[in-house]
Amino acid sequence: MKNNILTITLCLAFTFSFSQTDEETLKSIYKTSLTNGMSYQWLDHLSNNIGGRLSGSKNAELAVDYTKAELEKLGLDKVWLQPVMVPKWERGEKELAYINTDGKIKKVNICALGGSLATPEKGITAEVVEVTDFEELEALGKEKIKGKIVFYNRPMQADLINTFNAYGGCVNQRYAGAMEAGKYGAVGVIVRSMNLRQDDYPHTGSMSYGDLPIENRIPSAAISTNDANVLSEALKKDKNLNFYFKQSCQQFDDVQSYNVIGEITGSAFPNEYIIVGGHLDSWDLGDGAHDDGAGVVQSMDVLRLLKESGITPKRSIRVVLFMNEENGLRGATEYAKIAEAKNENHIFALESDSGGFTPRGFSFATNATNFKQVLAWKPLFKPYLIHYFEQGGSGADVGPLKSETNVLAGLRPDSQRYFDHHHASNDTFEHVNKRELELGAATMTSLVYLYDKYGVNPVPEQQQIKD
Amino acid sequence: MKNNILTITLCLAFTFSFSQTDEETLKSIYKTSLTNGMSYQWLDHLSNNIGGRLSGSKNAELAVDYTKAELEKLGLDKVWLQPVMVPKWERGEKELAYINTDGKIKKVNICALGGSLATPEKGITAEVVEVTDFEELEALGKEKIKGKIVFYNRPMQADLINTFNAYGGCVNQRYAGAMEAGKYGAVGVIVRSMNLRQDDYPHTGSMSYGDLPIENRIPSAAISTNDANVLSEALKKDKNLNFYFKQSCQQFDDVQSYNVIGEITGSAFPNEYIIVGGHLDSWDLGDGAHDDGAGVVQSMDVLRLLKESGITPKRSIRVVLFMNEENGLRGATEYAKIAEAKNENHIFALESDSGGFTPRGFSFATNATNFKQVLAWKPLFKPYLIHYFEQGGSGADVGPLKSETNVLAGLRPDSQRYFDHHHASNDTFEHVNKRELELGAATMTSLVYLYDKYGVNPVPEQQQIKD
């Protein structure tokens, strides 16, 4: 009985509605972001003055220093660095690859996958076996694969409206392709780039050898979508063609790095934390403007836009710029570990890591009651053409903070162009539109404002009284 | 009483619902557009092999020939050219402009507005009066304006979410700026480009002298947003600075051109017409990929996608590629005139003329009953992230077809980047994303399919029985 009373009391503390003040506050937040935002200026520096920021690199250090210094200018209550050891992998010299068929050499565009081994210094030359999935690989078996280069050529599915679903349907080729092909004695792996467009950019990304014995670990690289088609066509004419590739990437010992954190301490409930974040590291080929410079600067601007809009948060609002999302998730793991050790109650965590494109809404990982709450706020966002409020995943960096009662969310921008740039040398500042970026920052700030004002339902689903 | 019975009968003939078949048909249409669409390939030709297609130009002729030939390949029931006389204006040599202040020359980026007069061959040099609107101009009066260049510098309002509203709030400076300034004896007009971004591209567009006497007609040009700021800053330091500009544009006699039309004749109601269209002409600076190459190729693909999806239309479906939207609307006027003369019943007309960006929905110009009908179909579009169904304008080319009972609609793509490119030399093919374009074509096809299947309410609002 005592428990039930407690439950009822707690349930009354949050609400399924909003007020006219909220409408006005959102209007002010959007206006401020579009007329006086900082996200684009910060992204310009991060992209053009620093550039690609792979974990453990000099640029990643510069990005830590820069974002900390910028957060310190905002008059937050605290800004600090949270130490974390991160992997360090370097690409080395530009990769080289060609197809040798019919006495002719055709150069193709490849790049080493992150975490891959180098080839021997003189490169690898071998015949190629084209497959579309691991089942096909298994069916071919050792006999047909040993000594060959395995070429994974399953394209992203063009008729899926959400391009992240198309990515999800292909990315195992990149992540586990070398691990699987290595089991059958392949000498190298070439993967079709995770790109829905036909172009000449190879797209890197993380891969893993898992527990594969050292002697079975083989170099793996991505090939551009245009050249994947070239290779596939060439194989149809000459299945015994030779493929040559050379890469000189290298894994070093882990190095010291940091998450960058800024906080406005809550005026009423300082141990209820709301965090907003993106990842500070990026791949090395472009300048990481969309992935995830956009999420970094939008998250920084959330705290600034709250201040500019005259909002004094009741709860503690943190921006967390996570280190090492791309190839280790060490920053996110460390942040969650420390949050748990300090018993910090993270009621809401919002991640922006899907590019700086026009925001369409959010995906929410939470229970039914909390989802019902946020759905009640949806009409507030209609004037800003924010329409997507669905249950689903949140993001890799906030994921470890999941609890029974909190809300994790991911900003969902328009996804059509994301994989044109993802992990490639054309993920650059000029492909980010200022207004689209600023609309994203305003959309995030608005949701943070609402969660700060109304909180979340603190009662686990199974203890709630059903009406 | 007889009228009432007729009204009831007619009202029962159309419906406020949809079926499972419709869900499957839409799925098939989107899949076909994304995996087997033609719009991107057509746009490539129109943009890169033909280019900018101003009315009366050689390129406009080539575009007529090309699109007619491509429509003829689709196996439609009829393809024809509808003759229309159009204005012919040529830009001539590249414009030249500079600011002369403090003994220094600063070159700036301008372009003549469409329909403007040339300057004298040696150009115009004069002092500059900066204003933000016509009221300010009137307040200054003849005394302060005579002999000067008027510089309209009211920027597009950044906090409006729909950028077309920001355009609507500024475009009178461009269209009527010379007409107004000419009344007060100004010698030239420079207008801040209709662009929400700060960059170096001047944006052209139509202007008119209205009934202004010949002697008061003055040359007018647009200046890039960056240079508008430069000029404004320079004027703060030196209000007597000189501005020089030179342009050699010219108006010729009207020339023969054409609307391009293709038709699938309706199997059940051949005199009920559904049309889908965009405009074939474009400004001359870029290649007109977004404005309105995108609308042209999407409209062409609507008829093709219907055929590819095995749909046999009950009503007659036409694609109309209108000539001369940009500087005269002669094609649209002619099409509507002939449709009226032939007593063709246009029940639904859909225009795509807002760029080839990710589609968000439609704006509908219709009565309450027909709007209620289309709202009932909205859930069908949710899987495709189409969420914007609002009453409002349709488009310039379909506008003349308005009747009491029909439905006019405009495709509404994401508007954030549209004015980065609109009427400028960077309105080019590489700024159109294939998937975004194809999603637009599929969205248009889906709505055309539904109107063909269900028709519209044929009873005028005031004759309807209210329940």
Side-chain angles (χ1 to χ4, degrees):
Chain A
M1 189 60 200
K2 196 178 157 197
N3 260 347
N4 279 357
I5 291 168
L6 179 71
T7 306
I8 292 165
T9 313
L10 287 169
C11 279
L12 290 174
F14 86 112
T15 166
F16 286 120
S17 66
F18 57 84
S19 72
Q20 205 189 326
T21 313
D22 298 334
E23 287 177 42
E24 284 155 19
T25 302
L26 261 65
K27 195 170 176 183
S28 158
I29 288 169
Y30 275 90
K31 180 173 179 162
T32 307
S33 189
L34 286 165
T35 59
N36 177 29
M38 275 295 286
S39 50
Y40 195 66
Q41 191 177 318
W42 283 328
L43 187 64
D44 186 2
H45 185 95
L46 211 52
S47 306
N48 293 321
N49 295 5
I50 296 177
R53 314 168 278 287
L54 192 53
S55 290
S57 67
K58 179 70 190 165
N59 279 359
E61 273 183 54
L62 291 172
V64 166
D65 295 344
Y66 172 67
T67 50
K68 177 168 182 274
E70 289 300 308
L71 287 176
E72 280 168 347
K73 292 179 191 168
L74 300 185
L76 308 179
D77 295 310
K78 290 186 233 170
V79 176
W80 72 100
L81 300 183
Q82 186 172 67
V84 56
M85 294 301 287
V86 296
K88 180 179 167 75
W89 176 88
E90 280 185 3
R91 183 169 304 280
E93 277 172 41
K94 190 166 164 46
E95 302 82 350
L96 181 66
Y98 53 77
I99 302 167
N100 187 344
T101 174
D102 203 19
K104 283 183 205 134
I105 297 287
K106 157 75 184 158
K107 217 184 140 195
V108 291
N109 294 293
I110 67 155
C111 67
L113 293 180
S116 172
L117 296 176
T119 58
E121 207 175 330
K122 65 178 183 21
I124 289 172
T125 304
E127 290 185 2
V128 176
V129 180
E130 179 178 339
V131 297
T132 52
D133 55 34
F134 297 153
E135 290 67 38
E136 210 177 322
L137 192 76
E138 194 183 351
L140 287 167
K142 256 193 185 161
E143 195 189 338
K144 290 183 175 157
I145 291 170
K146 199 173 159 61
K148 307 273 176 68
I149 291 168
V150 171
F151 169 36
Y152 293 99
N153 195 27
R154 183 163 87 257
M156 286 174 76
Q157 201 182 321
D159 60 330
L160 297 174
I161 304 300
N162 180 340
T163 61
F164 284 84
N165 293 340
Y167 180 66
C170 274
V171 71
N172 70 338
Q173 299 173 99
R174 188 195 76 205
Y175 188 75
M179 189 179 354
E180 293 301 319
K183 292 178 189 167
Y184 301 100
V187 294
V189 156
I190 298 293
V191 186
R192 182 187 185 90
S193 285
M194 307 287 119
N195 179 8
L196 279 152
R197 197 164 68 167
Q198 284 301 131
D199 64 28
D200 294 322
Y201 298 102
H203 293 227
T204 190
S206 63
M207 55 79 64
S208 168
Y209 294 112
D211 301 331
L212 205 66
I214 300 290
E215 64 274 18
N216 290 341
R217 298 186 178 197
I218 56 177
S220 65
I223 188 166
S224 75
T225 48
N226 276 345
D227 287 332
N229 289 3
V230 166
L231 177 55
S232 186
E233 286 306 307
L235 283 167
K236 279 177 195 143
K237 290 178 193 151
D238 174 10
K239 72 183 178 59
N240 302 118
L241 64 77
N242 274 316
F243 191 89
Y244 167 84
F245 77 115
K246 184 187 168 196
Q247 56 194 31
S248 57
C249 41
Q250 202 179 340
Q251 192 79 42
F252 297 87
D253 288 340
D254 289 358
V255 299
Q256 183 70 64
S257 189
Y258 306 91
N259 293 326
V260 181
I261 308 175
E263 179 182 304
I264 303 173
T265 305
S267 61
F269 313 110
N271 197 43
E272 286 195 20
Y273 290 91
I274 289 175
I275 74 162
V276 59
H279 63 85
L280 199 45
D281 63 309
S282 79
W283 282 105
D284 56 330
L285 294 173
D287 62 35
H290 275 298
D291 186 13
D292 184 26
V296 163
V297 298
Q298 287 173 328
S299 299
M300 289 167 70
D301 224 3
V302 168
L303 274 69
R304 184 183 155 275
L305 291 169
L306 288 172
K307 286 184 85 82
E308 290 282 325
S309 304
I311 295 161
T312 305
K314 296 194 275 185
R315 295 164 166 93
S316 293
I317 318 281
R318 277 187 192 160
V319 51
V320 185
L321 310 179
F322 296 96
M323 183 51 71
N324 186 228
E325 189 272 348
E326 292 293 5
N327 56 342
L329 215 66
R330 301 276 185 90
T333 310
E334 184 68 12
Y335 181 83
K337 199 180 88 185
I338 291 178
E340 196 186 354
K342 292 193 172 177
N343 208 19
E344 292 170 346
N345 180 16
H346 281 68
I347 65 157
F348 175 56
L350 171 60
E351 181 164 332
S352 169
D353 185 17
S354 303
F357 304 97
T358 298
R360 304 292 295 267
F362 303 95
S363 172
F364 297 94
T366 190
N367 60 44
T369 309
N370 280 321
F371 185 58
K372 198 173 151 195
Q373 178 190 34
V374 78
L375 275 186
W377 299 335
K378 190 177 165 186
L380 276 171
F381 289 86
K382 197 183 176 204
Y384 312 103
L385 305 179
I386 300 300
H387 64 102
Y388 186 89
F389 277 51
E390 300 290 337
Q391 281 187 295
S394 54
D397 281 314
V398 301
L401 296 167
K402 189 84 202 83
S403 80
E404 274 185 278
T405 56
N406 72 2
V407 181
L408 306 185
L411 182 72
R412 292 292 171 258
D414 195 284
S415 77
Q416 298 311 318
R417 286 171 289 132
Y418 187 66
F419 292 97
D420 294 359
H421 304 281
H422 184 244
H423 297 181
S425 63
N426 64 338
D427 180 3
T428 48
F429 181 70
E430 69 267 27
H431 293 111
V432 178
N433 176 275
K434 183 172 181 282
R435 291 178 59 83
E436 295 184 357
L437 185 74
E438 290 167 347
L439 284 169
T443 304
M444 293 165 71
T445 308
S446 298
L447 191 62
V448 165
Y449 157 75
L450 290 165
Y451 272 112
D452 175 62
K453 182 168 172 183
Y454 295 110
V456 299
N457 179 14
V459 184
E461 202 81 352
Q462 64 276 20
Q463 289 174 32
Q464 286 174 35
I465 299 163
K466 304 295 174 194
D467 47 26
Chain B
M1 190 58 201
K2 195 177 159 198
N3 260 346
N4 280 357
I5 290 166
L6 178 73
T7 306
I8 291 164
T9 313
L10 287 169
C11 279
L12 289 174
F14 86 112
T15 168
F16 286 121
S17 65
F18 56 84
S19 71
Q20 205 189 328
T21 313
D22 298 334
E23 286 177 44
E24 284 156 19
T25 303
L26 262 64
K27 196 171 175 182
S28 158
I29 289 169
Y30 275 91
K31 181 174 179 162
T32 307
S33 189
L34 285 166
T35 59
N36 177 29
M38 273 296 285
S39 50
Y40 195 67
Q41 191 177 317
W42 283 328
L43 188 64
D44 187 2
H45 186 94
L46 212 52
S47 306
N48 293 321
N49 295 5
I50 297 177
R53 317 168 275 287
L54 193 54
S55 290
S57 68
K58 179 70 191 164
N59 278 0
E61 275 184 53
L62 291 173
V64 166
D65 296 344
Y66 172 68
T67 50
K68 178 169 180 277
E70 289 300 308
L71 287 176
E72 280 168 345
K73 292 179 191 167
L74 300 185
L76 308 179
D77 295 310
K78 290 186 233 170
V79 176
W80 72 101
L81 300 183
Q82 186 172 67
V84 57
M85 295 300 289
V86 296
K88 179 179 166 76
W89 175 89
E90 280 186 1
R91 183 170 303 281
E93 278 171 38
K94 188 164 164 50
E95 303 83 349
L96 182 64
Y98 53 79
I99 302 166
N100 186 344
T101 176
D102 203 18
K104 283 182 205 135
I105 297 287
K106 156 75 185 160
K107 216 182 139 194
V108 292
N109 294 293
I110 68 155
C111 67
L113 294 181
S116 173
L117 297 175
T119 58
E121 207 177 326
K122 63 175 184 26
I124 288 173
T125 303
E127 289 184 3
V128 175
V129 180
E130 178 178 340
V131 297
T132 51
D133 55 36
F134 298 153
E135 290 67 37
E136 209 177 323
L137 192 76
E138 195 184 349
L140 287 166
K142 255 191 186 161
E143 195 188 338
K144 290 183 176 157
I145 291 170
K146 199 172 159 61
K148 306 273 175 68
I149 290 169
V150 171
F151 168 38
Y152 293 100
N153 194 27
R154 185 164 84 258
M156 286 174 78
Q157 202 181 320
D159 60 329
L160 296 174
I161 303 303
N162 181 338
T163 61
F164 284 84
N165 294 339
Y167 180 67
C170 274
V171 71
N172 70 338
Q173 301 173 99
R174 188 196 76 204
Y175 188 76
M179 188 180 354
E180 294 301 320
K183 292 178 187 167
Y184 301 100
V187 294
V189 156
I190 298 292
V191 186
R192 182 188 185 90
S193 284
M194 307 287 120
N195 179 6
L196 279 152
R197 198 165 64 166
Q198 285 303 131
D199 63 29
D200 294 320
Y201 298 102
H203 293 227
T204 191
S206 65
M207 55 80 63
S208 167
Y209 295 112
D211 301 331
L212 205 65
I214 300 290
E215 64 272 19
N216 290 341
R217 298 186 178 195
I218 55 177
S220 66
I223 187 167
S224 75
T225 48
N226 275 346
D227 286 334
N229 288 2
V230 166
L231 178 55
S232 185
E233 286 305 309
L235 283 167
K236 280 178 197 145
K237 289 180 194 150
D238 174 10
K239 71 184 178 57
N240 302 116
L241 63 76
N242 274 314
F243 190 88
Y244 167 86
F245 77 114
K246 185 187 167 195
Q247 56 193 32
S248 56
C249 41
Q250 202 179 342
Q251 192 80 42
F252 298 87
D253 289 340
D254 288 358
V255 299
Q256 184 69 65
S257 189
Y258 305 91
N259 293 326
V260 181
I261 308 175
E263 179 182 304
I264 303 172
T265 305
S267 61
F269 315 109
N271 197 43
E272 286 196 19
Y273 290 91
I274 289 174
I275 75 163
V276 59
H279 64 86
L280 199 46
D281 63 309
S282 79
W283 282 105
D284 56 331
L285 294 174
D287 63 34
H290 276 297
D291 186 14
D292 182 25
V296 163
V297 298
Q298 286 173 329
S299 299
M300 290 166 69
D301 224 3
V302 167
L303 274 69
R304 185 183 154 275
L305 291 170
L306 288 172
K307 284 184 86 82
E308 290 282 327
S309 305
I311 295 161
T312 305
K314 296 194 275 187
R315 295 164 166 92
S316 292
I317 318 280
R318 278 188 190 159
V319 52
V320 185
L321 310 179
F322 296 96
M323 183 51 72
N324 186 227
E325 189 271 349
E326 291 294 5
N327 57 342
L329 215 67
R330 301 276 187 89
T333 310
E334 185 68 13
Y335 181 84
K337 201 180 88 184
I338 291 178
E340 196 184 356
K342 292 194 171 174
N343 207 19
E344 291 171 347
N345 179 17
H346 280 68
I347 64 157
F348 174 56
L350 171 59
E351 181 164 331
S352 169
D353 184 16
S354 303
F357 304 97
T358 298
R360 305 291 295 266
F362 304 95
S363 170
F364 296 95
T366 191
N367 61 43
T369 309
N370 279 322
F371 185 58
K372 198 173 151 194
Q373 178 190 34
V374 78
L375 276 186
W377 298 336
K378 190 177 164 184
L380 275 171
F381 290 85
K382 198 184 175 203
Y384 313 102
L385 305 179
I386 301 300
H387 64 102
Y388 185 90
F389 276 52
E390 300 290 337
Q391 281 188 295
S394 54
D397 282 313
V398 300
L401 295 167
K402 189 84 203 81
S403 79
E404 275 186 277
T405 55
N406 71 2
V407 180
L408 306 184
L411 182 72
R412 293 291 171 259
D414 194 285
S415 78
Q416 297 312 318
R417 284 171 290 134
Y418 187 65
F419 292 97
D420 295 358
H421 304 281
H422 183 245
H423 298 181
S425 63
N426 64 336
D427 180 4
T428 48
F429 181 69
E430 69 267 27
H431 293 112
V432 178
N433 176 275
K434 183 171 182 282
R435 291 178 59 81
E436 295 184 357
L437 184 75
E438 291 167 346
L439 284 170
T443 303
M444 294 166 69
T445 309
S446 298
L447 191 62
V448 165
Y449 157 75
L450 290 166
Y451 273 112
D452 176 63
K453 181 166 174 184
Y454 296 110
V456 300
N457 179 16
V459 185
E461 202 80 353
Q462 64 276 19
Q463 290 173 32
Q464 285 176 36
I465 298 163
K466 304 299 174 195
D467 48 24

